[in-house]
PDB file of all heavy atoms in Angstrom:
ATOM      1  N   CYS A   1       0.840  -1.197   0.000  1.00  0.00           N
ATOM      2  CA  CYS A   1       0.000   0.000   0.000  1.00  0.00           C
ATOM      3  C   CYS A   1       0.881   1.255   0.000  1.00  0.00           C
ATOM      4  O   CYS A   1       0.635   2.196  -0.766  1.00  0.00           O
ATOM      5  CB  CYS A   1      -0.899   0.011   1.224  1.00  0.00           C
ATOM      6  SG  CYS A   1      -2.005  -1.402   1.367  1.00  0.00           S
ATOM      7  N   VAL A   2       1.880   1.256   0.885  1.00  0.00           N
ATOM      8  CA  VAL A   2       2.859   2.345   0.925  1.00  0.00           C
ATOM      9  C   VAL A   2       4.238   1.741   1.149  1.00  0.00           C
ATOM     10  O   VAL A   2       4.427   0.958   2.085  1.00  0.00           O
ATOM     11  CB  VAL A   2       2.550   3.362   2.038  1.00  0.00           C
ATOM     12  CG1 VAL A   2       3.654   4.421   2.108  1.00  0.00           C
ATOM     13  CG2 VAL A   2       1.199   4.026   1.832  1.00  0.00           C
ATOM     14  N   MET A   3       5.178   2.100   0.299  1.00  0.00           N
ATOM     15  CA  MET A   3       6.581   1.758   0.515  1.00  0.00           C
ATOM     16  C   MET A   3       7.380   3.051   0.633  1.00  0.00           C
ATOM     17  O   MET A   3       7.285   3.926  -0.233  1.00  0.00           O
ATOM     18  CB  MET A   3       7.150   0.933  -0.638  1.00  0.00           C
ATOM     19  CG  MET A   3       8.658   0.698  -0.510  1.00  0.00           C
ATOM     20  SD  MET A   3       9.439   0.034  -2.004  1.00  0.00           S
ATOM     21  CE  MET A   3       8.938  -1.664  -1.896  1.00  0.00           C
ATOM     22  N   LEU A   4       8.132   3.153   1.712  1.00  0.00           N
ATOM     23  CA  LEU A   4       9.087   4.243   1.868  1.00  0.00           C
ATOM     24  C   LEU A   4      10.475   3.667   1.597  1.00  0.00           C
ATOM     25  O   LEU A   4      10.964   2.850   2.370  1.00  0.00           O
ATOM     26  CB  LEU A   4       9.014   4.836   3.276  1.00  0.00           C
ATOM     27  CG  LEU A   4       7.635   5.304   3.751  1.00  0.00           C
ATOM     28  CD1 LEU A   4       7.734   5.894   5.154  1.00  0.00           C
ATOM     29  CD2 LEU A   4       7.019   6.301   2.788  1.00  0.00           C
ATOM     30  N   ASP A   5      11.082   4.066   0.501  1.00  0.00           N
ATOM     31  CA  ASP A   5      12.357   3.515   0.057  1.00  0.00           C
ATOM     32  C   ASP A   5      13.413   4.612   0.122  1.00  0.00           C
ATOM     33  O   ASP A   5      13.370   5.579  -0.642  1.00  0.00           O
ATOM     34  CB  ASP A   5      12.212   2.972  -1.365  1.00  0.00           C
ATOM     35  CG  ASP A   5      13.494   2.361  -1.901  1.00  0.00           C
ATOM     36  OD1 ASP A   5      14.404   2.093  -1.090  1.00  0.00           O
ATOM     37  OD2 ASP A   5      13.594   2.170  -3.121  1.00  0.00           O
ATOM     38  N   ASN A   6      14.348   4.465   1.071  1.00  0.00           N
ATOM     39  CA  ASN A   6      15.400   5.462   1.262  1.00  0.00           C
ATOM     40  C   ASN A   6      14.803   6.858   1.488  1.00  0.00           C
ATOM     41  O   ASN A   6      15.254   7.843   0.899  1.00  0.00           O
ATOM     42  CB  ASN A   6      16.372   5.465   0.086  1.00  0.00           C
ATOM     43  CG  ASN A   6      17.326   4.290   0.138  1.00  0.00           C
ATOM     44  OD1 ASN A   6      17.943   4.038   1.175  1.00  0.00           O
ATOM     45  ND2 ASN A   6      17.439   3.560  -0.957  1.00  0.00           N
ATOM     46  N   CYS A   7      13.800   6.918   2.347  1.00  0.00           N
ATOM     47  CA  CYS A   7      13.153   8.185   2.686  1.00  0.00           C
ATOM     48  C   CYS A   7      13.529   8.623   4.093  1.00  0.00           C
ATOM     49  O   CYS A   7      13.819   7.797   4.962  1.00  0.00           O
ATOM     50  CB  CYS A   7      11.631   8.034   2.595  1.00  0.00           C
ATOM     51  SG  CYS A   7      11.018   7.773   0.908  1.00  0.00           S
ATOM     52  N   LYS A   8      13.482   9.927   4.305  1.00  0.00           N
ATOM     53  CA  LYS A   8      13.721  10.494   5.627  1.00  0.00           C
ATOM     54  C   LYS A   8      12.638  11.520   5.950  1.00  0.00           C
ATOM     55  O   LYS A   8      12.186  12.258   5.068  1.00  0.00           O
ATOM     56  CB  LYS A   8      15.092  11.159   5.706  1.00  0.00           C
ATOM     57  CG  LYS A   8      16.252  10.171   5.691  1.00  0.00           C
ATOM     58  CD  LYS A   8      17.577  10.882   5.918  1.00  0.00           C
ATOM     59  CE  LYS A   8      18.722   9.868   6.006  1.00  0.00           C
ATOM     60  NZ  LYS A   8      20.025  10.540   6.223  1.00  0.00           N
ATOM     61  N   TYR A   9      12.255  11.529   7.208  1.00  0.00           N
ATOM     62  CA  TYR A   9      11.285  12.496   7.715  1.00  0.00           C
ATOM     63  C   TYR A   9       9.966  12.467   6.936  1.00  0.00           C
ATOM     64  O   TYR A   9       9.280  13.482   6.835  1.00  0.00           O
ATOM     65  CB  TYR A   9      11.875  13.910   7.687  1.00  0.00           C
ATOM     66  CG  TYR A   9      13.145  14.052   8.499  1.00  0.00           C
ATOM     67  CD1 TYR A   9      14.392  14.089   7.870  1.00  0.00           C
ATOM     68  CD2 TYR A   9      13.105  14.115   9.886  1.00  0.00           C
ATOM     69  CE1 TYR A   9      15.559  14.203   8.612  1.00  0.00           C
ATOM     70  CE2 TYR A   9      14.269  14.225  10.629  1.00  0.00           C
ATOM     71  CZ  TYR A   9      15.490  14.268   9.986  1.00  0.00           C
ATOM     72  OH  TYR A   9      16.640  14.375  10.722  1.00  0.00           O
ATOM     73  N   THR A  10       9.612  11.340   6.391  1.00  0.00           N
ATOM     74  CA  THR A  10       8.307  11.209   5.750  1.00  0.00           C
ATOM     75  C   THR A  10       7.292  10.726   6.788  1.00  0.00           C
ATOM     76  O   THR A  10       7.643  10.134   7.807  1.00  0.00           O
ATOM     77  CB  THR A  10       8.346  10.251   4.559  1.00  0.00           C
ATOM     78  OG1 THR A  10       8.768   8.967   5.019  1.00  0.00           O
ATOM     79  CG2 THR A  10       9.296  10.742   3.485  1.00  0.00           C
ATOM     80  N   ARG A  11       6.028  10.954   6.460  1.00  0.00           N
ATOM     81  CA  ARG A  11       4.969  10.618   7.419  1.00  0.00           C
ATOM     82  C   ARG A  11       3.809   9.950   6.692  1.00  0.00           C
ATOM     83  O   ARG A  11       3.378  10.422   5.619  1.00  0.00           O
ATOM     84  CB  ARG A  11       4.493  11.878   8.135  1.00  0.00           C
ATOM     85  CG  ARG A  11       3.513  11.617   9.272  1.00  0.00           C
ATOM     86  CD  ARG A  11       3.172  12.905   9.995  1.00  0.00           C
ATOM     87  NE  ARG A  11       2.278  12.670  11.123  1.00  0.00           N
ATOM     88  CZ  ARG A  11       1.739  13.644  11.866  1.00  0.00           C
ATOM     89  NH1 ARG A  11       2.029  14.914  11.593  1.00  0.00           N
ATOM     90  NH2 ARG A  11       0.927  13.335  12.869  1.00  0.00           N
ATOM     91  N   VAL A  12       3.330   8.869   7.278  1.00  0.00           N
ATOM     92  CA  VAL A  12       2.150   8.158   6.771  1.00  0.00           C
ATOM     93  C   VAL A  12       1.127   8.217   7.887  1.00  0.00           C
ATOM     94  O   VAL A  12       1.298   7.561   8.934  1.00  0.00           O
ATOM     95  CB  VAL A  12       2.498   6.702   6.397  1.00  0.00           C
ATOM     96  CG1 VAL A  12       1.271   5.971   5.871  1.00  0.00           C
ATOM     97  CG2 VAL A  12       3.623   6.669   5.363  1.00  0.00           C
ATOM     98  N   THR A  13       0.047   8.973   7.709  1.00  0.00           N
ATOM     99  CA  THR A  13      -0.815   9.290   8.837  1.00  0.00           C
ATOM    100  C   THR A  13      -2.291   9.274   8.460  1.00  0.00           C
ATOM    101  O   THR A  13      -2.678   9.669   7.359  1.00  0.00           O
ATOM    102  CB  THR A  13      -0.435  10.672   9.425  1.00  0.00           C
ATOM    103  OG1 THR A  13      -1.221  10.925  10.591  1.00  0.00           O
ATOM    104  CG2 THR A  13      -0.640  11.797   8.424  1.00  0.00           C
ATOM    105  N   ARG A  14      -3.118   8.763   9.362  1.00  0.00           N
ATOM    106  CA  ARG A  14      -4.576   8.799   9.303  1.00  0.00           C
ATOM    107  C   ARG A  14      -5.138   8.106   8.059  1.00  0.00           C
ATOM    108  O   ARG A  14      -6.138   8.537   7.485  1.00  0.00           O
ATOM    109  CB  ARG A  14      -5.080  10.249   9.402  1.00  0.00           C
ATOM    110  CG  ARG A  14      -4.703  10.916  10.722  1.00  0.00           C
ATOM    111  CD  ARG A  14      -5.395  12.239  10.923  1.00  0.00           C
ATOM    112  NE  ARG A  14      -4.930  12.922  12.120  1.00  0.00           N
ATOM    113  CZ  ARG A  14      -5.376  12.698  13.361  1.00  0.00           C
ATOM    114  NH1 ARG A  14      -6.295  11.764  13.572  1.00  0.00           N
ATOM    115  NH2 ARG A  14      -4.906  13.384  14.393  1.00  0.00           N
ATOM    116  N   ASN A  15      -4.490   7.017   7.669  1.00  0.00           N
ATOM    117  CA  ASN A  15      -4.982   6.203   6.564  1.00  0.00           C
ATOM    118  C   ASN A  15      -5.639   4.934   7.088  1.00  0.00           C
ATOM    119  O   ASN A  15      -5.450   4.544   8.247  1.00  0.00           O
ATOM    120  CB  ASN A  15      -3.824   5.816   5.630  1.00  0.00           C
ATOM    121  CG  ASN A  15      -3.095   7.033   5.096  1.00  0.00           C
ATOM    122  OD1 ASN A  15      -3.571   7.730   4.217  1.00  0.00           O
ATOM    123  ND2 ASN A  15      -1.914   7.298   5.651  1.00  0.00           N
ATOM    124  N   VAL A  16      -6.375   4.266   6.207  1.00  0.00           N
ATOM    125  CA  VAL A  16      -6.940   2.954   6.494  1.00  0.00           C
ATOM    126  C   VAL A  16      -6.332   1.962   5.514  1.00  0.00           C
ATOM    127  O   VAL A  16      -6.318   2.197   4.298  1.00  0.00           O
ATOM    128  CB  VAL A  16      -8.477   2.941   6.358  1.00  0.00           C
ATOM    129  CG1 VAL A  16      -9.028   1.529   6.546  1.00  0.00           C
ATOM    130  CG2 VAL A  16      -9.104   3.894   7.368  1.00  0.00           C
ATOM    131  N   PHE A  17      -5.815   0.859   6.045  1.00  0.00           N
ATOM    132  CA  PHE A  17      -5.192  -0.173   5.219  1.00  0.00           C
ATOM    133  C   PHE A  17      -6.008  -1.453   5.307  1.00  0.00           C
ATOM    134  O   PHE A  17      -6.065  -2.096   6.360  1.00  0.00           O
ATOM    135  CB  PHE A  17      -3.749  -0.416   5.668  1.00  0.00           C
ATOM    136  CG  PHE A  17      -2.865   0.786   5.493  1.00  0.00           C
ATOM    137  CD1 PHE A  17      -2.576   1.619   6.567  1.00  0.00           C
ATOM    138  CD2 PHE A  17      -2.350   1.106   4.242  1.00  0.00           C
ATOM    139  CE1 PHE A  17      -1.780   2.740   6.406  1.00  0.00           C
ATOM    140  CE2 PHE A  17      -1.541   2.229   4.071  1.00  0.00           C
ATOM    141  CZ  PHE A  17      -1.258   3.054   5.151  1.00  0.00           C
ATOM    142  N   ARG A  18      -6.653  -1.804   4.213  1.00  0.00           N
ATOM    143  CA  ARG A  18      -7.372  -3.071   4.099  1.00  0.00           C
ATOM    144  C   ARG A  18      -7.276  -3.586   2.660  1.00  0.00           C
ATOM    145  O   ARG A  18      -8.282  -3.732   1.974  1.00  0.00           O
ATOM    146  CB  ARG A  18      -8.828  -2.921   4.554  1.00  0.00           C
ATOM    147  CG  ARG A  18      -9.596  -1.786   3.920  1.00  0.00           C
ATOM    148  CD  ARG A  18     -11.059  -1.799   4.382  1.00  0.00           C
ATOM    149  NE  ARG A  18     -11.835  -0.759   3.748  1.00  0.00           N
ATOM    150  CZ  ARG A  18     -12.530   0.179   4.414  1.00  0.00           C
ATOM    151  NH1 ARG A  18     -12.534   0.202   5.729  1.00  0.00           N
ATOM    152  NH2 ARG A  18     -13.239   1.069   3.746  1.00  0.00           N
ATOM    153  N   PRO A  19      -6.073  -3.837   2.177  1.00  0.00           N
ATOM    154  CA  PRO A  19      -5.878  -4.287   0.797  1.00  0.00           C
ATOM    155  C   PRO A  19      -6.517  -5.648   0.563  1.00  0.00           C
ATOM    156  O   PRO A  19      -6.793  -6.403   1.496  1.00  0.00           O
ATOM    157  CB  PRO A  19      -4.364  -4.338   0.646  1.00  0.00           C
ATOM    158  CG  PRO A  19      -3.857  -4.521   2.040  1.00  0.00           C
ATOM    159  CD  PRO A  19      -4.795  -3.773   2.923  1.00  0.00           C
ATOM    160  N   LYS A  20      -6.709  -5.958  -0.726  1.00  0.00           N
ATOM    161  CA  LYS A  20      -7.353  -7.211  -1.113  1.00  0.00           C
ATOM    162  C   LYS A  20      -6.304  -8.310  -1.201  1.00  0.00           C
ATOM    163  O   LYS A  20      -5.445  -8.306  -2.083  1.00  0.00           O
ATOM    164  CB  LYS A  20      -8.054  -7.048  -2.467  1.00  0.00           C
ATOM    165  CG  LYS A  20      -9.059  -5.906  -2.508  1.00  0.00           C
ATOM    166  CD  LYS A  20     -10.160  -6.061  -1.465  1.00  0.00           C
ATOM    167  CE  LYS A  20     -11.192  -4.939  -1.582  1.00  0.00           C
ATOM    168  NZ  LYS A  20     -12.195  -4.971  -0.504  1.00  0.00           N
ATOM    169  N   GLU A  21      -6.363  -9.240  -0.280  1.00  0.00           N
ATOM    170  CA  GLU A  21      -5.406 -10.338  -0.270  1.00  0.00           C
ATOM    171  C   GLU A  21      -5.881 -11.453  -1.194  1.00  0.00           C
ATOM    172  O   GLU A  21      -7.072 -11.756  -1.277  1.00  0.00           O
ATOM    173  CB  GLU A  21      -5.221 -10.876   1.148  1.00  0.00           C
ATOM    174  CG  GLU A  21      -4.582  -9.862   2.068  1.00  0.00           C
ATOM    175  CD  GLU A  21      -4.155 -10.460   3.387  1.00  0.00           C
ATOM    176  OE1 GLU A  21      -4.924 -11.228   3.976  1.00  0.00           O
ATOM    177  OE2 GLU A  21      -3.033 -10.166   3.817  1.00  0.00           O
ATOM    178  N   ARG A  22      -4.923 -12.068  -1.865  1.00  0.00           N
ATOM    179  CA  ARG A  22      -5.227 -13.177  -2.768  1.00  0.00           C
ATOM    180  C   ARG A  22      -5.434 -14.457  -1.977  1.00  0.00           C
ATOM    181  O   ARG A  22      -4.840 -14.647  -0.922  1.00  0.00           O
ATOM    182  CB  ARG A  22      -4.082 -13.370  -3.763  1.00  0.00           C
ATOM    183  CG  ARG A  22      -3.850 -12.168  -4.680  1.00  0.00           C
ATOM    184  CD  ARG A  22      -2.519 -12.317  -5.398  1.00  0.00           C
ATOM    185  NE  ARG A  22      -2.271 -11.150  -6.243  1.00  0.00           N
ATOM    186  CZ  ARG A  22      -2.426 -11.160  -7.562  1.00  0.00           C
ATOM    187  NH1 ARG A  22      -2.847 -12.254  -8.173  1.00  0.00           N
ATOM    188  NH2 ARG A  22      -2.181 -10.083  -8.271  1.00  0.00           N
ATOM    189  N   ALA A  23      -6.249 -15.335  -2.533  1.00  0.00           N
ATOM    190  CA  ALA A  23      -6.442 -16.626  -1.878  1.00  0.00           C
ATOM    191  C   ALA A  23      -5.133 -17.406  -1.830  1.00  0.00           C
ATOM    192  O   ALA A  23      -4.831 -18.092  -0.858  1.00  0.00           O
ATOM    193  CB  ALA A  23      -7.517 -17.426  -2.601  1.00  0.00           C
ATOM    194  N   ARG A  24      -4.332 -17.313  -2.894  1.00  0.00           N
ATOM    195  CA  ARG A  24      -3.011 -17.945  -2.934  1.00  0.00           C
ATOM    196  C   ARG A  24      -1.987 -16.883  -3.351  1.00  0.00           C
ATOM    197  O   ARG A  24      -1.748 -16.697  -4.537  1.00  0.00           O
ATOM    198  CB  ARG A  24      -3.000 -19.127  -3.913  1.00  0.00           C
ATOM    199  CG  ARG A  24      -3.870 -20.287  -3.455  1.00  0.00           C
ATOM    200  CD  ARG A  24      -3.758 -21.475  -4.410  1.00  0.00           C
ATOM    201  NE  ARG A  24      -4.549 -22.599  -3.947  1.00  0.00           N
ATOM    202  CZ  ARG A  24      -4.125 -23.512  -3.088  1.00  0.00           C
ATOM    203  NH1 ARG A  24      -2.907 -23.415  -2.600  1.00  0.00           N
ATOM    204  NH2 ARG A  24      -4.895 -24.503  -2.709  1.00  0.00           N
ATOM    205  N   PRO A  25      -1.407 -16.177  -2.375  1.00  0.00           N
ATOM    206  CA  PRO A  25      -0.491 -15.091  -2.734  1.00  0.00           C
ATOM    207  C   PRO A  25       0.747 -15.603  -3.460  1.00  0.00           C
ATOM    208  O   PRO A  25       1.233 -16.686  -3.197  1.00  0.00           O
ATOM    209  CB  PRO A  25      -0.120 -14.486  -1.378  1.00  0.00           C
ATOM    210  CG  PRO A  25      -0.348 -15.584  -0.395  1.00  0.00           C
ATOM    211  CD  PRO A  25      -1.523 -16.359  -0.924  1.00  0.00           C
ATOM    212  N   ARG A  26       1.248 -14.785  -4.377  1.00  0.00           N
ATOM    213  CA  ARG A  26       2.465 -15.160  -5.100  1.00  0.00           C
ATOM    214  C   ARG A  26       3.699 -15.064  -4.206  1.00  0.00           C
ATOM    215  O   ARG A  26       4.680 -15.736  -4.436  1.00  0.00           O
ATOM    216  CB  ARG A  26       2.632 -14.270  -6.327  1.00  0.00           C
ATOM    217  CG  ARG A  26       1.669 -14.621  -7.450  1.00  0.00           C
ATOM    218  CD  ARG A  26       1.822 -13.690  -8.619  1.00  0.00           C
ATOM    219  NE  ARG A  26       1.298 -12.365  -8.307  1.00  0.00           N
ATOM    220  CZ  ARG A  26       1.249 -11.371  -9.189  1.00  0.00           C
ATOM    221  NH1 ARG A  26       1.713 -11.555 -10.406  1.00  0.00           N
ATOM    222  NH2 ARG A  26       0.755 -10.210  -8.862  1.00  0.00           N
ATOM    223  N   HIS A  27       3.657 -14.206  -3.232  1.00  0.00           N
ATOM    224  CA  HIS A  27       4.764 -14.092  -2.282  1.00  0.00           C
ATOM    225  C   HIS A  27       4.224 -13.430  -1.026  1.00  0.00           C
ATOM    226  O   HIS A  27       3.038 -13.108  -0.935  1.00  0.00           O
ATOM    227  CB  HIS A  27       5.926 -13.290  -2.865  1.00  0.00           C
ATOM    228  CG  HIS A  27       5.522 -11.974  -3.463  1.00  0.00           C
ATOM    229  ND1 HIS A  27       5.145 -10.896  -2.708  1.00  0.00           N
ATOM    230  CD2 HIS A  27       5.415 -11.576  -4.756  1.00  0.00           C
ATOM    231  CE1 HIS A  27       4.850  -9.885  -3.502  1.00  0.00           C
ATOM    232  NE2 HIS A  27       4.993 -10.264  -4.741  1.00  0.00           N
TER     233      HIS A  27
END
C-alpha cells in the first residue's frame, strides 16, 4: 500500500489499510 524507500522524515498518517489479499499469494 505504501513503501518508503530510502526516505527520511516522511509521514504516513490517518490512513486505512485493508488491501485485497489473494487466496493464494504469489509471495
